[in-house]
Amino acid sequence: FNRGAHTLQVPAKLFAKNRARLVEALRGKTPEKSVVLLQGGQEKNRYNTDAEDLPFRQESYFFWAFGVHESECYGAIDVESGRSFLFPPRLHADYAIWDGKINDETWFKKHYEVDEVIFNDDGAIANALSNLSTKTLLLLKADNTDSGNVLAPAHFKDIEKFATDELFLYPIFAEQRVYKTDEELEVLRYASKIASDAHKAAMQHIKPGMYEYQLESLFRHTSYYTGGCRHLAYTCIAASGCNGSILHYGHANAPNDRQIVDGDMCLFDMGPEYCCYASDITTSFPANGKFTEKQKIVYNAVLRANRAVLTAAKPGVRWADMHLLSEKIILEDLKAAGLVQGDIDEAVKARVGAVFMPHGLGHFLGLDVHDVGGYLGDATPRSTEAGLKSLRTTRTLQERMVITIEPGCYFIDFLLDKALADPVQSKFLVKAKIDEFRGQGGVRIEDDVVIWTKGAENMSKVPRTIEEIEAFMSGN
């Protein structure tokens, strides 16, 4: 896969290596004659029309194993032999009129480096599985603990002829996705580079009076035009001013449509995908390129938390502890500025940190922006406490995990009013000083990071200190 000579070449061996890893993890644990059977995504039109809403994007588990971009495909992996089988749909001859060249089996086999390609004619999958003497089909039923959604297991004609298991495969498969290979890391580095370039383009071109969506548009254009990233990893958050305190700003109820005002703090959380691998970077900066004293207080608190976690994030460190570390640092700086009072450790225990940072510190990153496996392995159960309950993982960090570090500090009226009315939390808050900061939104600083024993690798390449941001935005 590539989008031209100026973009990254992604080899098919990346996915062949992934299949080999999965087979190695399954061998010796499955019943005799077990075969993994996966179903890819299906291209869909917008509700009741024949028009596609967005370009097709492959289902992530299927893509991890096969790297196939086409719709309506199935894939099988024989656990004993490790052989791979791809089942593309047989296309109607008219496809050549409307959608282009119809590729044959040889093209698919060479392009995706699988062992065998069989068009999915009537009964083709069942026949191929029977020829393998398949006794058990390992199907993927994948639960998402964040959304509550479930990826349904594959289904095909005559599946009832085989014994199936929908529970065994998921934890092993998801665990393989948690740890990135060298080849995967190269794609993630590229996606983060393009995201960084697009964020810098927004910082260079922003002017008070522009609309938020114009910066979103510039980000999209830069990502695609210069980096070949056709898809974004998630809906762009291009928040300015008070909108910076809306954590998932950019959706239908708040569609990046505010006009940016001189003096606004901007919070841009945006990231493209390349070859389905995601990036997720947040920059916070003043629209006019110069920080006010109040903006400096909040920004430096968040930056100090980001840098402290980046330094501490090594194998053996539990992610929930990193979240608490970031809360403590932000509260320390807010205390120094007069917004918070009292013992900071006690304030953390009272969950005052969650008043200013209600979201989790970060999440795994890979083929999904909120990547899988956060509550597998040695993860502790999801907390019920404010802030901590929003953590997308509680695992101990290990080498080759890719995670975001995204502390934030926001002034959300709902949370501030609730805390000020709480007899436990209110004693740590200085209302008069906090009121001076209301309405200015918030700050988030998010980096994409690879965990290594020698120290975390930060893949984000954007100006971060106040001095760097002001110099960059002034053209220096």
Side-chain angles (χ1 to χ4, degrees), residues 189-211:
R189 290 184 185 108
Y190 180 81
S192 292
K193 176 192 179 300
I194 299 303
S196 299
D197 291 345
H199 272 285
K200 288 190 287 188
M203 294 172 70
Q204 284 177 318
H205 290 87
I206 191 171
K207 290 183 177 63
M210 295 179 71
Y211 286 86

Side-chain angles (χ1 to χ4, degrees), residues 372-392:
V372 299
Y375 281 90
L376 296 176
D378 71 345
T380 56
R382 189 184 291 271
S383 174
T384 59
E385 295 188 275
L388 292 167
K389 67 182 179 182
S390 297
L391 280 171
R392 297 182 187 271

Side-chain angles (χ1 to χ4, degrees), residues 65-77:
F66 287 93
V68 171
H69 291 272
E70 286 77 11
S71 173
E72 297 182 54
C73 294
Y74 290 78
I77 307 170

Side-chain angles (χ1 to χ4, degrees), residues 299-314:
Y299 188 88
N300 279 330
V302 178
L303 180 62
R304 195 162 76 87
N306 172 280
R307 292 288 172 86
V309 174
L310 184 65
T311 300
K314 295 179 181 179

Side-chain angles (χ1 to χ4, degrees), residues 16-33:
K17 187 173 182 178
N18 284 347
R19 292 194 296 272
R21 292 169 60 205
L22 181 60
V23 167
E24 184 65 24
L26 291 170
R27 276 189 182 146
K29 302 174 185 176
T30 62
E32 183 184 11
K33 297 293 183 182

Side-chain angles (χ1 to χ4, degrees), residues 246-264:
I246 302 172
L247 299 184
H248 284 169
Y249 186 73
H251 59 80
N253 188 51
N256 295 330
D257 61 354
R258 178 179 177 273
Q259 190 172 24
I260 299 167
V261 177
D262 193 2
D264 276 348

